[in-house]
Amino acid sequence: MISRESPILELCNVYHSGQVESGTWMQRIMGSVKTGLILKDISLEIHRGEVLAILGSKGSGKRALLDVISRRTEGGDVGEGATRGQIHLGGSILTKKLFQERCAYVTRRCDLIPGLTVRQTLSYAASLTIGSKQTSGQGRKSRVRPVMADLALSQCANRSVDNISKCERRRLEIGIQLVKDPVLLLLDEPTRDLDPLGAYLISSMVSADARRNGRAVALTAETPRSDVFPFLHRVALLCLGDLLYAGPVSSSTMAGGSPTGDSQVGRHHLLAYFADIGFPCPRMENPLMYYLCLSTVDRRSRERFLESNHQIAALVDKFKVEGIPYRKAVGFDGDELALAGGAMGIGVPPPPLPPPFSQPGVSQIASSLVGRQVASILNLRVSSFCQLALRILPLPLFFLLLWLFYSGRLPYQRTYVSTNGLIFNFLAGAYFISIFTTVCTFPVYRTRYFQECQEGLYGGWLFHITYSLGCLPFSLISTLASSRIAVEVSGLEGYEAWLYLWGIFFACHLAAEQQTLAFMRVQQCSLSAASNSFLVSAICLILGSGTLRSLRALPEWLFFLAYATQSRYAGSLLAGQLFSINPYVISNCSNLPPLVPPGPGYSNVGVVQREPIHQALVISCGYDGLSYLTERYGKD
């Protein structure tokens, strides 16, 4: 249970070691990538209602600090593996489970599912994080409305996430985490790549939300603007993993001003500290950028590098000696404390933390995942139409191409085709089109899964099952239309033959889809996963169908290995169905009557009249259907 005492978050002597260079793929496999100390003796505090800005140049350790707080670093909890030190949330040891229940982390890259509206995105986020024990479905909707109002998203609630501005998208990413009402919110570069107005809006909204709800906020920034200075209560300056300063900023005094009042807040703040140690901020300067530049190593020359490095080391040592009063000071001035009713940690105990929402059950999460996937496909949006077309149309279009090819309707079609080739093309289309469809539609859901999995919302097995269930109706429609075309191509008749082929194609389509999903779960590159899945399917197809060589002529170990391929059984079922429509026996190629007259003036005497579709399905000379099946599969 989280206690009611301030500070809400406290880090004490935290060290973290990690990878300091990317390394080659072989080094990553062998575990020989160079590692080093990324965070060195980090101690800081955040009180309720405060906004902490973690400032530092690239490589200073800002993101590593957020990863350590969010328990996403290697080794799990603090004290294990590469992370040492103490981190407490409201007096309790901050574990990974506690962070996932009471805190939230908005990473720099947050992928959204295309096709959903802003309202739907927030509603499904609430369904995945808020259970039904304390609030009903209507209660989850009432939780979404204030978040949309606080982040100024109400005017774009019914717009697709593909058609909102960059600032609106960033506010939506923050809103996805705010729906579960966390006591601590981590933001990684929330104003990055935004225009000045967008950066100002997000900074003001985050600060207002923190004060209104007593939420602690920690955000990183590489180039902070001067107009966000009034919205920050605390700042931490990092350089190469060392802490140069951690404490309040003066929200009542601007750049170059002097602190007012005799309170603890007035004496211990950013401007006063650096002025006392001989680095006052010039008037009309941005204090955040000025002291950020002071804490950045100058690499323009060797002399500048040594000088700046020596100066930074001195500042680090200085803060370790004199920084405790600043680190423990509260980042509110007198006016803010009066507005907050004195409930932010000085003199008066803070109000109790709101109880956490109940965790949703497996059935609620599963239904939310399936509903979100189906909604993203069936919404009347451009991206939704693209997804729907990719899931339904490719396989029927492929079978339409086969129908044109095998029916002889193409004027330039003179290729020798056979029933065996038709079977191979049937199976190849079902396998390869399924791989193509999966590779084109799965990545957006995969990236969202990886992000939600790190938040502890659900596991991989549940995601795999729900994604397959969401794809099921579209696969059924696609294979049903394709099997109808296949009936026309093969010359079969009746609904029984249609359902027979539909069952075979659906099984092949589903097998290839699950195989591709397995590859894409372990391979980040979609092209590599597709290539591997194509290769495995091609090997199984050639081996199981006996296309290049009959199964009976294979070596014994390959013959028994073919029993493990799904294409063997699909091919045998198709062969038994298609060869039953050709009962005649061809003993010699010279005795085979022509199917169609070869040219003008040719006599029609002796010409065998067959159905147009059957004219192209010529059995190889010397085989009837029974002989073919016996040689291919070894049994009558």
PDB file of all heavy atoms in Angstrom, residues 31-63:
ATOM      1  N   GLY A  31      26.899 -11.718 -26.792  1.00  0.00           N
ATOM      2  CA  GLY A  31      26.913 -10.990 -25.532  1.00  0.00           C
ATOM      3  C   GLY A  31      28.195 -10.225 -25.282  1.00  0.00           C
ATOM      4  O   GLY A  31      28.573 -10.005 -24.117  1.00  0.00           O
ATOM      5  N   SER A  32      28.890  -9.820 -26.332  1.00  0.00           N
ATOM      6  CA  SER A  32      30.169  -9.123 -26.192  1.00  0.00           C
ATOM      7  C   SER A  32      30.074  -7.641 -26.514  1.00  0.00           C
ATOM      8  O   SER A  32      31.070  -7.004 -26.836  1.00  0.00           O
ATOM      9  CB  SER A  32      31.216  -9.779 -27.101  1.00  0.00           C
ATOM     10  OG  SER A  32      30.794  -9.746 -28.461  1.00  0.00           O
ATOM     11  N   VAL A  33      28.864  -7.079 -26.476  1.00  0.00           N
ATOM     12  CA  VAL A  33      28.699  -5.650 -26.729  1.00  0.00           C
ATOM     13  C   VAL A  33      29.277  -4.876 -25.548  1.00  0.00           C
ATOM     14  O   VAL A  33      29.104  -5.251 -24.385  1.00  0.00           O
ATOM     15  CB  VAL A  33      27.214  -5.298 -26.941  1.00  0.00           C
ATOM     16  CG1 VAL A  33      27.054  -3.806 -27.187  1.00  0.00           C
ATOM     17  CG2 VAL A  33      26.649  -6.086 -28.106  1.00  0.00           C
ATOM     18  N   LYS A  34      29.944  -3.775 -25.853  1.00  0.00           N
ATOM     19  CA  LYS A  34      30.590  -2.982 -24.810  1.00  0.00           C
ATOM     20  C   LYS A  34      29.555  -2.354 -23.902  1.00  0.00           C
ATOM     21  O   LYS A  34      28.590  -1.746 -24.356  1.00  0.00           O
ATOM     22  CB  LYS A  34      31.453  -1.889 -25.457  1.00  0.00           C
ATOM     23  CG  LYS A  34      32.259  -1.089 -24.449  1.00  0.00           C
ATOM     24  CD  LYS A  34      33.127  -0.063 -25.144  1.00  0.00           C
ATOM     25  CE  LYS A  34      33.924   0.758 -24.129  1.00  0.00           C
ATOM     26  NZ  LYS A  34      34.785   1.770 -24.784  1.00  0.00           N
ATOM     27  N   THR A  35      29.738  -2.508 -22.604  1.00  0.00           N
ATOM     28  CA  THR A  35      28.836  -1.930 -21.611  1.00  0.00           C
ATOM     29  C   THR A  35      29.624  -0.993 -20.703  1.00  0.00           C
ATOM     30  O   THR A  35      30.853  -1.029 -20.652  1.00  0.00           O
ATOM     31  CB  THR A  35      28.152  -3.020 -20.775  1.00  0.00           C
ATOM     32  OG1 THR A  35      29.160  -3.795 -20.113  1.00  0.00           O
ATOM     33  CG2 THR A  35      27.308  -3.935 -21.655  1.00  0.00           C
ATOM     34  N   GLY A  36      28.910  -0.163 -19.997  1.00  0.00           N
ATOM     35  CA  GLY A  36      29.536   0.783 -19.086  1.00  0.00           C
ATOM     36  C   GLY A  36      28.526   1.339 -18.109  1.00  0.00           C
ATOM     37  O   GLY A  36      27.325   1.021 -18.159  1.00  0.00           O
ATOM     38  N   LEU A  37      29.001   2.203 -17.226  1.00  0.00           N
ATOM     39  CA  LEU A  37      28.156   2.819 -16.219  1.00  0.00           C
ATOM     40  C   LEU A  37      27.434   4.006 -16.843  1.00  0.00           C
ATOM     41  O   LEU A  37      28.060   4.974 -17.277  1.00  0.00           O
ATOM     42  CB  LEU A  37      29.005   3.272 -15.030  1.00  0.00           C
ATOM     43  CG  LEU A  37      28.282   3.562 -13.711  1.00  0.00           C
ATOM     44  CD1 LEU A  37      27.529   2.330 -13.227  1.00  0.00           C
ATOM     45  CD2 LEU A  37      29.265   4.050 -12.671  1.00  0.00           C
ATOM     46  N   ILE A  38      26.098   3.930 -16.910  1.00  0.00           N
ATOM     47  CA  ILE A  38      25.301   4.971 -17.555  1.00  0.00           C
ATOM     48  C   ILE A  38      24.807   5.989 -16.541  1.00  0.00           C
ATOM     49  O   ILE A  38      24.848   7.200 -16.798  1.00  0.00           O
ATOM     50  CB  ILE A  38      24.115   4.332 -18.305  1.00  0.00           C
ATOM     51  CG1 ILE A  38      24.636   3.385 -19.397  1.00  0.00           C
ATOM     52  CG2 ILE A  38      23.222   5.404 -18.918  1.00  0.00           C
ATOM     53  CD1 ILE A  38      23.542   2.680 -20.145  1.00  0.00           C
ATOM     54  N   LEU A  39      24.324   5.557 -15.385  1.00  0.00           N
ATOM     55  CA  LEU A  39      23.861   6.442 -14.320  1.00  0.00           C
ATOM     56  C   LEU A  39      24.745   6.248 -13.099  1.00  0.00           C
ATOM     57  O   LEU A  39      25.033   5.112 -12.701  1.00  0.00           O
ATOM     58  CB  LEU A  39      22.399   6.149 -13.962  1.00  0.00           C
ATOM     59  CG  LEU A  39      21.368   6.351 -15.072  1.00  0.00           C
ATOM     60  CD1 LEU A  39      19.983   5.957 -14.593  1.00  0.00           C
ATOM     61  CD2 LEU A  39      21.371   7.788 -15.570  1.00  0.00           C
ATOM     62  N   LYS A  40      25.168   7.365 -12.486  1.00  0.00           N
ATOM     63  CA  LYS A  40      26.138   7.319 -11.399  1.00  0.00           C
ATOM     64  C   LYS A  40      25.600   8.078 -10.197  1.00  0.00           C
ATOM     65  O   LYS A  40      25.515   9.308 -10.233  1.00  0.00           O
ATOM     66  CB  LYS A  40      27.474   7.926 -11.847  1.00  0.00           C
ATOM     67  CG  LYS A  40      27.981   7.403 -13.190  1.00  0.00           C
ATOM     68  CD  LYS A  40      29.094   8.269 -13.737  1.00  0.00           C
ATOM     69  CE  LYS A  40      29.460   7.867 -15.165  1.00  0.00           C
ATOM     70  NZ  LYS A  40      30.475   8.768 -15.766  1.00  0.00           N
ATOM     71  N   ASP A  41      25.208   7.363  -9.184  1.00  0.00           N
ATOM     72  CA  ASP A  41      24.824   7.948  -7.900  1.00  0.00           C
ATOM     73  C   ASP A  41      23.738   9.015  -8.072  1.00  0.00           C
ATOM     74  O   ASP A  41      23.916  10.186  -7.711  1.00  0.00           O
ATOM     75  CB  ASP A  41      26.055   8.539  -7.210  1.00  0.00           C
ATOM     76  CG  ASP A  41      25.798   8.811  -5.719  1.00  0.00           C
ATOM     77  OD1 ASP A  41      24.774   8.315  -5.212  1.00  0.00           O
ATOM     78  OD2 ASP A  41      26.603   9.535  -5.111  1.00  0.00           O
ATOM     79  N   ILE A  42      22.598   8.606  -8.624  1.00  0.00           N
ATOM     80  CA  ILE A  42      21.491   9.529  -8.852  1.00  0.00           C
ATOM     81  C   ILE A  42      20.593   9.540  -7.626  1.00  0.00           C
ATOM     82  O   ILE A  42      20.087   8.498  -7.195  1.00  0.00           O
ATOM     83  CB  ILE A  42      20.674   9.125 -10.100  1.00  0.00           C
ATOM     84  CG1 ILE A  42      21.578   9.092 -11.327  1.00  0.00           C
ATOM     85  CG2 ILE A  42      19.508  10.081 -10.304  1.00  0.00           C
ATOM     86  CD1 ILE A  42      22.193  10.411 -11.685  1.00  0.00           C
ATOM     87  N   SER A  43      20.370  10.734  -7.076  1.00  0.00           N
ATOM     88  CA  SER A  43      19.468  10.915  -5.938  1.00  0.00           C
ATOM     89  C   SER A  43      18.596  12.129  -6.220  1.00  0.00           C
ATOM     90  O   SER A  43      19.119  13.240  -6.414  1.00  0.00           O
ATOM     91  CB  SER A  43      20.245  11.119  -4.636  1.00  0.00           C
ATOM     92  OG  SER A  43      21.039   9.979  -4.323  1.00  0.00           O
ATOM     93  N   LEU A  44      17.285  11.943  -6.235  1.00  0.00           N
ATOM     94  CA  LEU A  44      16.360  13.056  -6.460  1.00  0.00           C
ATOM     95  C   LEU A  44      14.990  12.687  -5.909  1.00  0.00           C
ATOM     96  O   LEU A  44      14.715  11.520  -5.589  1.00  0.00           O
ATOM     97  CB  LEU A  44      16.284  13.440  -7.943  1.00  0.00           C
ATOM     98  CG  LEU A  44      15.935  12.360  -8.975  1.00  0.00           C
ATOM     99  CD1 LEU A  44      14.433  12.177  -9.114  1.00  0.00           C
ATOM    100  CD2 LEU A  44      16.534  12.708 -10.317  1.00  0.00           C
ATOM    101  N   GLU A  45      14.130  13.704  -5.815  1.00  0.00           N
ATOM    102  CA  GLU A  45      12.790  13.517  -5.276  1.00  0.00           C
ATOM    103  C   GLU A  45      11.781  14.254  -6.143  1.00  0.00           C
ATOM    104  O   GLU A  45      12.107  15.255  -6.780  1.00  0.00           O
ATOM    105  CB  GLU A  45      12.698  14.037  -3.837  1.00  0.00           C
ATOM    106  CG  GLU A  45      13.588  13.305  -2.849  1.00  0.00           C
ATOM    107  CD  GLU A  45      13.510  13.900  -1.460  1.00  0.00           C
ATOM    108  OE1 GLU A  45      12.836  14.952  -1.316  1.00  0.00           O
ATOM    109  OE2 GLU A  45      14.099  13.336  -0.528  1.00  0.00           O
ATOM    110  N   ILE A  46      10.552  13.735  -6.155  1.00  0.00           N
ATOM    111  CA  ILE A  46       9.427  14.413  -6.797  1.00  0.00           C
ATOM    112  C   ILE A  46       8.255  14.360  -5.823  1.00  0.00           C
ATOM    113  O   ILE A  46       7.925  13.296  -5.281  1.00  0.00           O
ATOM    114  CB  ILE A  46       9.022  13.743  -8.123  1.00  0.00           C
ATOM    115  CG1 ILE A  46      10.226  13.511  -9.030  1.00  0.00           C
ATOM    116  CG2 ILE A  46       7.983  14.600  -8.843  1.00  0.00           C
ATOM    117  CD1 ILE A  46       9.877  12.815 -10.323  1.00  0.00           C
ATOM    118  N   HIS A  47       7.635  15.510  -5.594  1.00  0.00           N
ATOM    119  CA  HIS A  47       6.474  15.588  -4.719  1.00  0.00           C
ATOM    120  C   HIS A  47       5.203  15.575  -5.556  1.00  0.00           C
ATOM    121  O   HIS A  47       5.224  15.804  -6.764  1.00  0.00           O
ATOM    122  CB  HIS A  47       6.541  16.854  -3.863  1.00  0.00           C
ATOM    123  CG  HIS A  47       7.702  16.873  -2.927  1.00  0.00           C
ATOM    124  ND1 HIS A  47       7.604  16.629  -1.574  1.00  0.00           N
ATOM    125  CD2 HIS A  47       9.022  17.103  -3.157  1.00  0.00           C
ATOM    126  CE1 HIS A  47       8.787  16.710  -1.014  1.00  0.00           C
ATOM    127  NE2 HIS A  47       9.672  17.004  -1.956  1.00  0.00           N
ATOM    128  N   ARG A  48       4.095  15.359  -4.884  1.00  0.00           N
ATOM    129  CA  ARG A  48       2.816  15.326  -5.586  1.00  0.00           C
ATOM    130  C   ARG A  48       2.501  16.694  -6.160  1.00  0.00           C
ATOM    131  O   ARG A  48       2.693  17.728  -5.526  1.00  0.00           O
ATOM    132  CB  ARG A  48       1.713  14.884  -4.631  1.00  0.00           C
ATOM    133  CG  ARG A  48       1.837  13.442  -4.178  1.00  0.00           C
ATOM    134  CD  ARG A  48       0.619  13.031  -3.380  1.00  0.00           C
ATOM    135  NE  ARG A  48      -0.600  13.134  -4.185  1.00  0.00           N
ATOM    136  CZ  ARG A  48      -1.821  12.966  -3.703  1.00  0.00           C
ATOM    137  NH1 ARG A  48      -1.976  12.708  -2.405  1.00  0.00           N
ATOM    138  NH2 ARG A  48      -2.863  13.067  -4.486  1.00  0.00           N
ATOM    139  N   GLY A  49       1.976  16.681  -7.381  1.00  0.00           N
ATOM    140  CA  GLY A  49       1.628  17.922  -8.031  1.00  0.00           C
ATOM    141  C   GLY A  49       2.772  18.623  -8.722  1.00  0.00           C
ATOM    142  O   GLY A  49       2.572  19.687  -9.316  1.00  0.00           O
ATOM    143  N   GLU A  50       3.978  18.063  -8.651  1.00  0.00           N
ATOM    144  CA  GLU A  50       5.149  18.700  -9.240  1.00  0.00           C
ATOM    145  C   GLU A  50       5.449  18.140 -10.626  1.00  0.00           C
ATOM    146  O   GLU A  50       5.129  16.990 -10.935  1.00  0.00           O
ATOM    147  CB  GLU A  50       6.383  18.508  -8.354  1.00  0.00           C
ATOM    148  CG  GLU A  50       6.312  19.243  -7.043  1.00  0.00           C
ATOM    149  CD  GLU A  50       7.578  19.075  -6.227  1.00  0.00           C
ATOM    150  OE1 GLU A  50       8.352  18.134  -6.511  1.00  0.00           O
ATOM    151  OE2 GLU A  50       7.795  19.876  -5.307  1.00  0.00           O
ATOM    152  N   VAL A  51       6.107  18.974 -11.435  1.00  0.00           N
ATOM    153  CA  VAL A  51       6.601  18.567 -12.742  1.00  0.00           C
ATOM    154  C   VAL A  51       8.118  18.669 -12.712  1.00  0.00           C
ATOM    155  O   VAL A  51       8.674  19.752 -12.499  1.00  0.00           O
ATOM    156  CB  VAL A  51       6.032  19.455 -13.869  1.00  0.00           C
ATOM    157  CG1 VAL A  51       6.604  19.031 -15.214  1.00  0.00           C
ATOM    158  CG2 VAL A  51       4.512  19.366 -13.902  1.00  0.00           C
ATOM    159  N   LEU A  52       8.785  17.543 -12.909  1.00  0.00           N
ATOM    160  CA  LEU A  52      10.244  17.477 -12.926  1.00  0.00           C
ATOM    161  C   LEU A  52      10.723  17.395 -14.364  1.00  0.00           C
ATOM    162  O   LEU A  52      10.280  16.521 -15.120  1.00  0.00           O
ATOM    163  CB  LEU A  52      10.733  16.261 -12.141  1.00  0.00           C
ATOM    164  CG  LEU A  52      12.201  15.875 -12.333  1.00  0.00           C
ATOM    165  CD1 LEU A  52      13.124  16.915 -11.704  1.00  0.00           C
ATOM    166  CD2 LEU A  52      12.486  14.489 -11.763  1.00  0.00           C
ATOM    167  N   ALA A  53      11.627  18.293 -14.750  1.00  0.00           N
ATOM    168  CA  ALA A  53      12.241  18.260 -16.070  1.00  0.00           C
ATOM    169  C   ALA A  53      13.644  17.691 -15.943  1.00  0.00           C
ATOM    170  O   ALA A  53      14.476  18.230 -15.199  1.00  0.00           O
ATOM    171  CB  ALA A  53      12.283  19.661 -16.678  1.00  0.00           C
ATOM    172  N   ILE A  54      13.898  16.600 -16.639  1.00  0.00           N
ATOM    173  CA  ILE A  54      15.230  15.989 -16.657  1.00  0.00           C
ATOM    174  C   ILE A  54      15.931  16.495 -17.905  1.00  0.00           C
ATOM    175  O   ILE A  54      15.558  16.142 -19.027  1.00  0.00           O
ATOM    176  CB  ILE A  54      15.121  14.454 -16.655  1.00  0.00           C
ATOM    177  CG1 ILE A  54      14.305  13.978 -15.459  1.00  0.00           C
ATOM    178  CG2 ILE A  54      16.510  13.821 -16.636  1.00  0.00           C
ATOM    179  CD1 ILE A  54      14.003  12.493 -15.464  1.00  0.00           C
ATOM    180  N   LEU A  55      16.933  17.332 -17.716  1.00  0.00           N
ATOM    181  CA  LEU A  55      17.614  17.988 -18.818  1.00  0.00           C
ATOM    182  C   LEU A  55      18.997  17.394 -19.017  1.00  0.00           C
ATOM    183  O   LEU A  55      19.658  16.993 -18.053  1.00  0.00           O
ATOM    184  CB  LEU A  55      17.735  19.492 -18.562  1.00  0.00           C
ATOM    185  CG  LEU A  55      16.444  20.244 -18.219  1.00  0.00           C
ATOM    186  CD1 LEU A  55      16.741  21.725 -18.028  1.00  0.00           C
ATOM    187  CD2 LEU A  55      15.399  20.038 -19.297  1.00  0.00           C
ATOM    188  N   GLY A  56      19.426  17.367 -20.266  1.00  0.00           N
ATOM    189  CA  GLY A  56      20.760  16.870 -20.591  1.00  0.00           C
ATOM    190  C   GLY A  56      20.909  16.724 -22.079  1.00  0.00           C
ATOM    191  O   GLY A  56      19.917  16.582 -22.814  1.00  0.00           O
ATOM    192  N   SER A  57      22.127  16.781 -22.544  1.00  0.00           N
ATOM    193  CA  SER A  57      22.387  16.601 -23.965  1.00  0.00           C
ATOM    194  C   SER A  57      22.252  15.130 -24.333  1.00  0.00           C
ATOM    195  O   SER A  57      22.029  14.269 -23.472  1.00  0.00           O
ATOM    196  CB  SER A  57      23.782  17.127 -24.318  1.00  0.00           C
ATOM    197  OG  SER A  57      24.768  16.457 -23.539  1.00  0.00           O
ATOM    198  N   LYS A  58      22.413  14.837 -25.620  1.00  0.00           N
ATOM    199  CA  LYS A  58      22.298  13.462 -26.086  1.00  0.00           C
ATOM    200  C   LYS A  58      23.385  12.600 -25.452  1.00  0.00           C
ATOM    201  O   LYS A  58      24.559  12.962 -25.445  1.00  0.00           O
ATOM    202  CB  LYS A  58      22.417  13.424 -27.611  1.00  0.00           C
ATOM    203  CG  LYS A  58      22.185  12.055 -28.206  1.00  0.00           C
ATOM    204  CD  LYS A  58      22.239  12.105 -29.726  1.00  0.00           C
ATOM    205  CE  LYS A  58      21.977  10.732 -30.320  1.00  0.00           C
ATOM    206  NZ  LYS A  58      22.027  10.766 -31.798  1.00  0.00           N
ATOM    207  N   GLY A  59      22.974  11.448 -24.908  1.00  0.00           N
ATOM    208  CA  GLY A  59      23.917  10.557 -24.252  1.00  0.00           C
ATOM    209  C   GLY A  59      24.136  10.853 -22.788  1.00  0.00           C
ATOM    210  O   GLY A  59      25.005  10.232 -22.159  1.00  0.00           O
ATOM    211  N   SER A  60      23.335  11.761 -22.223  1.00  0.00           N
ATOM    212  CA  SER A  60      23.521  12.105 -20.808  1.00  0.00           C
ATOM    213  C   SER A  60      22.876  11.095 -19.868  1.00  0.00           C
ATOM    214  O   SER A  60      23.184  11.088 -18.674  1.00  0.00           O
ATOM    215  CB  SER A  60      22.962  13.500 -20.535  1.00  0.00           C
ATOM    216  OG  SER A  60      21.575  13.548 -20.857  1.00  0.00           O
ATOM    217  N   GLY A  61      21.954  10.256 -20.372  1.00  0.00           N
ATOM    218  CA  GLY A  61      21.316   9.248 -19.538  1.00  0.00           C
ATOM    219  C   GLY A  61      19.878   9.562 -19.175  1.00  0.00           C
ATOM    220  O   GLY A  61      19.331   8.956 -18.246  1.00  0.00           O
ATOM    221  N   LYS A  62      19.237  10.492 -19.905  1.00  0.00           N
ATOM    222  CA  LYS A  62      17.857  10.867 -19.574  1.00  0.00           C
ATOM    223  C   LYS A  62      16.906   9.685 -19.746  1.00  0.00           C
ATOM    224  O   LYS A  62      16.131   9.361 -18.844  1.00  0.00           O
ATOM    225  CB  LYS A  62      17.399  12.033 -20.469  1.00  0.00           C
ATOM    226  CG  LYS A  62      18.281  13.261 -20.413  1.00  0.00           C
ATOM    227  CD  LYS A  62      17.699  14.409 -21.199  1.00  0.00           C
ATOM    228  CE  LYS A  62      17.546  14.082 -22.683  1.00  0.00           C
ATOM    229  NZ  LYS A  62      18.838  13.821 -23.334  1.00  0.00           N
ATOM    230  N   ARG A  63      16.958   9.054 -20.923  1.00  0.00           N
ATOM    231  CA  ARG A  63      16.040   7.938 -21.166  1.00  0.00           C
ATOM    232  C   ARG A  63      16.372   6.750 -20.275  1.00  0.00           C
ATOM    233  O   ARG A  63      15.464   6.028 -19.819  1.00  0.00           O
ATOM    234  CB  ARG A  63      16.097   7.523 -22.633  1.00  0.00           C
ATOM    235  CG  ARG A  63      15.055   6.467 -22.999  1.00  0.00           C
ATOM    236  CD  ARG A  63      15.150   6.055 -24.444  1.00  0.00           C
ATOM    237  NE  ARG A  63      14.957   7.202 -25.327  1.00  0.00           N
ATOM    238  CZ  ARG A  63      15.042   7.137 -26.640  1.00  0.00           C
ATOM    239  NH1 ARG A  63      15.343   5.988 -27.221  1.00  0.00           N
ATOM    240  NH2 ARG A  63      14.842   8.207 -27.378  1.00  0.00           N
TER     241      ARG A  63
END
